[in-house]
Amino acid sequence: MNNTIKGTSCYANAKSGNLVSITGDGGNAWGFYGQSYKKLAPSLKLYEYWRDNPDHLSDMELIEYYVQQYYNHRLINLNVEELFNILRNKFGEEIILLCHELPSESPMMDKKHFCHRRLDVDYFELETGIIIPEIGIDESGIITYYEQPNYKTILKKVMKK
């Protein structure tokens, strides 16, 4: 199970490997036309709320709202082992999950660098113990690792764990 997902990245930082978009449009708006698994994308309604922030929430309030809504919409009934099997059967091993947000420049949480791909893998880690890093990968396959904010504390509150 731990060879299924090699890491997460953004379209700009992933130049090679077994790349799979997890955004609603499959990455087309960012010039990515490769493989996609849209069942992990946030709903359009949640994405628009996040983008527009109509209630003028602080970054932390907005992140907490997003985590709650995304958990209720995508994660609450997700069997991670089953998902890994589906991904492996559909895309193979060492998948790099992609969306558009650049990695954070620090482990601090802010709206600018918040990303559902990191929320997904923090959830996967809580469920399986498997750590999935944020990476950049160049054309030669050389990997750079990025330290990212940890959403597990918020997830645990939402999950009541």
Side-chain angles (χ1 to χ4, degrees):
M1 185 160 74
N2 59 348
N3 290 338
T4 302
I5 302 174
K6 182 176 194 163
T8 62
S9 193
C10 65
Y11 303 119
N13 289 347
K15 304 299 182 192
S16 66
N18 190 2
L19 309 176
V20 177
S21 172
I22 57 170
T23 58
D25 75 342
N28 297 172
W30 294 275
F32 180 81
Y33 299 98
Q35 305 177 108
S36 66
Y37 188 77
K38 298 176 185 178
K39 291 181 181 178
L40 289 175
S43 68
L44 181 58
K45 182 179 174 182
L46 178 57
Y47 173 76
E48 288 173 342
Y49 184 90
W50 173 263
R51 181 193 64 205
D52 301 339
N53 193 7
D55 296 320
H56 307 289
L57 302 176
S58 70
D59 279 10
M60 205 55 222
E61 290 169 329
L62 192 57
I63 289 168
E64 288 173 349
Y65 175 85
Y66 188 105
V67 171
Q68 177 72 60
Q69 296 304 312
Y70 187 80
Y71 176 79
N72 290 342
H73 181 70
R74 290 285 186 226
L75 302 176
I76 196 167
N77 295 316
L78 181 68
N79 179 313
V80 177
E81 191 170 327
E82 184 178 297
L83 172 68
F84 282 19
N85 286 330
I86 290 168
L87 293 174
R88 186 181 311 104
N89 290 334
K90 189 170 176 115
F91 305 112
E93 298 286 336
E94 297 194 345
I95 296 165
I96 301 168
L97 298 177
L98 302 176
C99 66
H100 73 277
E101 288 88 5
L102 291 170
S104 182
E105 297 161 5
S106 80
M108 299 301 294
M109 290 185 203
D110 65 10
K111 180 183 181 198
K112 181 180 177 187
H113 294 104
F114 176 83
C115 182
H116 82 281
R117 71 179 181 261
R118 295 308 312 164
L119 179 58
D120 283 333
V121 297
D122 278 352
Y123 178 75
F124 301 164
E125 183 177 336
L126 285 172
E127 293 294 302
T128 68
I130 296 170
I131 297 171
I132 300 169
E134 175 72 14
I135 63 174
I137 185 166
D138 70 13
E139 294 86 354
S140 306
I142 296 172
I143 295 175
T144 303
Y145 293 90
Y146 298 92
E147 183 179 3
Q148 293 300 287
N150 180 325
Y151 301 107
K152 290 186 216 78
T153 302
I154 300 170
L155 269 168
K156 285 179 186 176
K157 280 195 265 182
V158 167
M159 298 165 64
K160 311 289 190 266
K161 285 191 173 187

